[in-house]
Amino acid sequence: MTALVILVGFLLSLPSMGCLKNDILRLNIKKEPNLDPNTVCKTYPELSQTQYDLCRKYPDVTASAIQGVQIGIHECQHQLRTHRWNCSSLERKNKNPHASPLLKRGFKETAFAYAISAAGVTHQVSKACSLGKLKSCGCDMSVYGVNRDFEWGGCSHNVDFGEQYAKRFMDSKEMARDIHSRINLHNNRAGRLAVIRNVQKQCKCHGMSGSCELKTCWKAAPNFREVGDLLKRKFKAATKIHIGNAASGRLIKQNGRRPRQSDLLYYQKSPSFCEPNNRLDSPGTTGRLCNKSSDGVDNCGTLCCGRGYNILKVRRSERCNCKFYWCCYVECQTCTYNEWVTVCK
């Protein structure tokens, strides 16, 4: 899984293939996307009516957005890999992660899952635009001021389009005006901001023998691992809130101040996640690997919830050396290891 997540940022930079299988939708998608809306929209489960309408109109963009959700869930698993709840229950074949019972609650973990998913959609669609894979968008051709040291050129990632589509696609599920929907909308925006506020300048030199007589620069979305690291820090500092004035419906911190747009918000205390709980889509921690020498949340005392642990010699296989191909195929090798492990009882 670690190798898979590290390679997420290279998803759209790898060579295209003639006919590829979509890891989420189980589709065969041609090199130049000319997708049947029914194939995309009816395969991915539990779309809202607005999402379904968007999918019918923009099937290629929606396919990229759905891949962005998966990328976000992979990153969620990486960032919370040492926590009792580690996002693993959100990734199941032919399942919409946002249908999980846990995402209908107001926990810190819910906030992180919403934010990282919205960030994944923004990131993925932005990069897909710049590769000319989507009919509805292309490169961002904006010129960001005049510079003497370089010229704006190349093909900037279309973060504006990615942000707008992520907003339309992800926010459309939050039709209610209750505290839960308001917080979900806020956390969706925080996820999008983690991408658009960290766009980076990339440059290429031109000239004889490696000289840099002319330098061309463009804007690129940040590496998605950096986005995940940023949102993990926001998760650790997440703010518990309540609804303020009933007429305004403003979200207010417990100290009476309004939260920042980039803060992650929650309104319910998280459960222990120690035992399996189907109502929360929580598998518990029995069987989880723990680290008996760690001082972090993955130490055996904390992760095993006081139940103790066993020391076992295991032969472990996992996906490794994964490569992503447009759109939207994942190809991995299988690596096998023999090791001693500590496992929660």
Side-chain angles (χ1 to χ4, degrees):
M1 179 59 67
T2 300
L4 185 151
V5 177
I6 291 175
L7 289 169
V8 161
F10 297 100
L11 173 62
L12 295 175
S13 63
L14 294 175
S16 299
M17 298 177 65
C19 187
L20 306 172
K21 184 180 178 183
N22 184 305
D23 193 43
I24 311 175
L25 300 175
R26 303 178 184 178
L27 307 177
N28 288 328
I29 300 178
K30 296 180 180 180
K31 183 176 180 180
E32 293 302 325
N34 185 20
L35 305 182
D36 178 1
N38 288 326
T39 306
V40 177
C41 309
K42 292 185 177 180
T43 304
Y44 194 63
E46 300 188 60
L47 294 175
S48 70
Q49 185 59 51
T50 302
Q51 287 179 321
Y52 185 78
D53 292 341
L54 275 173
C55 185
R56 295 276 302 173
K57 190 173 183 180
Y58 308 108
D60 55 342
V61 187
T62 302
S64 184
I66 291 171
Q67 189 72 11
V69 172
Q70 186 185 48
I71 288 171
I73 297 306
H74 286 166
E75 186 64 19
C76 183
Q77 291 173 347
H78 171 77
Q79 295 294 341
L80 300 187
R81 64 193 181 279
T82 60
H83 290 245
R84 290 176 179 171
W85 186 81
N86 61 0
C87 278
S88 60
S89 61
L90 299 184
E91 186 180 38
R92 295 176 185 165
K93 284 289 185 181
N94 204 33
K95 176 184 176 181
N96 186 334
H98 287 77
S100 168
L102 186 132
L103 269 63
K104 294 176 172 59
R105 307 298 287 270
F107 307 141
K108 288 176 63 175
E109 292 78 10
T110 305
F112 185 75
Y114 267 91
I116 199 74
S117 297
V121 174
T122 304
H123 193 273
Q124 185 73 355
V125 173
S126 300
K127 295 183 70 175
C129 289
S130 68
L131 287 181
K133 298 295 185 180
L134 306 180
K135 296 179 180 179
S136 304
C137 62
C139 304
D140 179 2
M141 303 304 293
S142 303
V143 177
Y144 302 90
V146 179
N147 298 272
R148 294 182 179 179
D149 299 330
F150 63 89
E151 293 183 2
W152 288 110
C155 184
S156 293
H157 293 167
N158 199 334
V159 180
D160 287 343
F161 184 90
E163 191 271 340
Q164 292 168 14
Y165 196 84
K167 185 177 189 304
R168 294 179 66 186
F169 186 75
M170 303 296 284
D171 287 4
S172 63
K173 292 183 71 70
E174 309 302 329
M175 302 302 293
R177 304 303 297 173
D178 57 11
I179 184 173
H180 185 71
S181 290
R182 289 182 180 276
I183 287 182
N184 290 345
L185 291 172
H186 177 98
N187 291 325
N188 281 347
R189 179 169 57 180
R192 299 193 301 269
L193 289 176
V195 176
I196 64 178
R197 287 184 175 178
N198 292 281
V199 169
Q200 302 165 351
K201 182 179 73 175
Q202 295 184 355
C203 298
K204 181 178 181 179
C205 284
H206 309 274
M208 298 293 293
S209 302
S211 66
C212 202
E213 298 175 5
L214 174 64
K215 185 163 64 173
T216 303
C217 299
W218 60 92
K219 294 289 186 178
N223 183 288
F224 200 67
R225 176 52 46 79
E226 296 176 15
V227 176
D229 291 342
L230 172 61
L231 289 175
K232 176 64 177 297
R233 293 192 294 271
K234 298 289 185 181
F235 168 75
K236 290 181 177 179
T239 302
K240 188 174 183 180
I241 60 88
H242 64 274
I243 290 290
N245 182 282
S248 66
R250 291 180 177 178
L251 301 175
I252 305 296
K253 292 183 179 182
Q254 291 184 325
N255 61 11
R257 297 182 179 179
R258 296 189 65 183
R260 292 174 297 183
Q261 291 182 338
S262 59
D263 290 340
L264 295 190
L265 307 181
Y266 68 101
Y267 64 93
Q268 287 181 307
K269 181 181 178 181
S270 298
S272 67
F273 296 116
C274 287
E275 305 297 334
N277 188 334
N278 291 333
R279 292 183 301 171
L280 296 178
D281 207 14
S282 173
T285 63
T286 298
R288 287 279 300 279
L289 300 179
C290 63
N291 186 346
K292 62 182 181 179
S293 61
S294 172
D295 294 326
V297 294
D298 62 335
N299 74 80
C300 291
T302 299
L303 191 60
C304 302
C305 304
R307 296 187 305 267
Y309 58 90
N310 295 315
I311 301 177
L312 306 172
K313 187 176 183 179
V314 299
R315 185 177 180 86
R316 178 171 59 88
S317 297
E318 65 179 27
R319 292 190 296 175
C320 62
N321 302 323
C322 296
K323 294 183 179 180
F324 290 81
Y325 298 90
W326 173 263
C327 165
C328 310
Y329 178 70
V330 184
E331 186 177 79
C332 300
Q333 297 176 354
T334 299
C335 295
T336 303
Y337 310 91
N338 292 313
E339 59 186 1
W340 289 96
V341 297
T342 48
V343 180
C344 291
K345 292 182 178 179

